[in-house]
Amino acid sequence: MASPDSGIDQPAQPQPAATRTRRGMRTRDALVAAARRIFERDGYLDARIVDIAAEAKVATGSFYTHFASKEDVFAAVLARLQDEMLHAGVSDGGGDDGDGGRKGLWRGVEEANRAYLESYRRNAGLMAAMEQAAAVDPQFVRVRLERSRVFIDRSAAAIARLQRSGLADPELDPEITARALSAMVSRLAYATFALGESVPFDTLVETVTRLWTNALCMPQD
């Protein structure tokens, strides 16, 4: 089971002819990679276009050939992160372990949590920048809501499957439960990896997994 704080979906935007050439695509890729490093180093608020261009080893004017603003390039950076974060999604386990798959169910939750938390840890600097962006720019508030919806829908569907199988508390509302547990994991990941609170990683995974399974009243033996 995992939670939001990943990348974003952006609608396709018409691009200048310069960005459609092979050289233009290389320059754009270099700018996105450079922007990621600057956002991770300086945060969203203090990142500057001139620094992004310098990091990419291009003139500042070249930046505006490919992107309209700092917000525009940040959206491109987040879009590249989307697949990595979203693949660490919900699993309701499964598999035959000789006990009706119950231990397999618990392991499935643990594996999904571990994948999400490992991904968050790798991208902690960018996650911190995203928190800053969402605090000051309504565009990224909307992005976060849309991104959260993907995780909540996936989690709610898994919870409903477990309920139908008699492996989770049938009285829980799947969507509200998914919202609550996803928010818990997301904020805990932010505090641990972006703010630097010291928690042993395996302990973090085990604790989050136990909270998930206990909250759903999932069998663990």
Side-chain angles (χ1 to χ4, degrees), residues 89-165:
V90 171
S91 170
D92 55 10
D96 184 4
D97 55 23
D99 188 27
R102 290 183 176 185
K103 292 180 181 177
L105 288 170
W106 196 92
R107 283 198 301 269
V109 177
E110 181 183 41
E111 289 169 1
N113 278 321
R114 183 177 297 276
Y116 173 77
L117 291 168
E118 286 176 344
S119 182
Y120 201 111
R121 180 169 61 175
R122 285 194 301 271
N123 297 288
L126 196 56
M127 296 298 98
M130 188 172 183
E131 288 287 328
Q132 291 182 347
V136 299
D137 190 331
Q139 171 190 356
F140 294 107
V141 173
R142 176 184 57 78
V143 162
R144 290 191 63 181
L145 290 173
E146 291 174 353
R147 182 189 59 256
S148 295
R149 171 50 56 186
V150 175
F151 280 95
I152 290 166
D153 286 349
R154 194 181 299 174
S155 296
I159 291 168
R161 287 195 298 273
L162 290 167
Q163 289 173 320
R164 289 193 295 271
S165 299

Side-chain angles (χ1 to χ4, degrees), residues 1 90-92 105 109 113 155-156 158-163 166-181 208-220:
M1 307 284 180
V90 171
S91 170
D92 55 10
L105 288 170
V109 177
N113 278 321
S155 296
I159 291 168
R161 287 195 298 273
L162 290 167
Q163 289 173 320
L167 295 170
D169 183 351
E171 299 301 317
L172 291 172
D173 181 283
E175 180 172 345
I176 294 175
T177 303
R179 284 180 178 273
L181 294 175
V208 166
T209 299
R210 189 168 295 278
L211 289 169
W212 260 100
T213 55
N214 285 350
L216 298 177
C217 298
M218 288 175 59
Q220 299 185 23

Side-chain angles (χ1 to χ4, degrees), residues 183-194:
M184 173 194 70
V185 178
S186 173
R187 299 314 296 175
L188 186 57
Y190 175 70
T192 303
F193 303 122

Side-chain angles (χ1 to χ4, degrees), residues 5-9 32 36 40 74-88 119-120 122-128 130 147 151:
D5 283 344
S6 61
I8 62 172
D9 283 321
V32 173
R36 173 170 179 149
E40 288 178 326
F74 189 56
V77 170
L78 293 179
R80 292 198 175 182
L81 186 62
Q82 177 180 347
D83 288 343
E84 177 183 347
M85 296 296 288
L86 289 184
H87 93 276
S119 182
Y120 201 111
R122 285 194 301 271
N123 297 288
L126 196 56
M127 296 298 98
M130 188 172 183
R147 182 189 59 256
F151 280 95

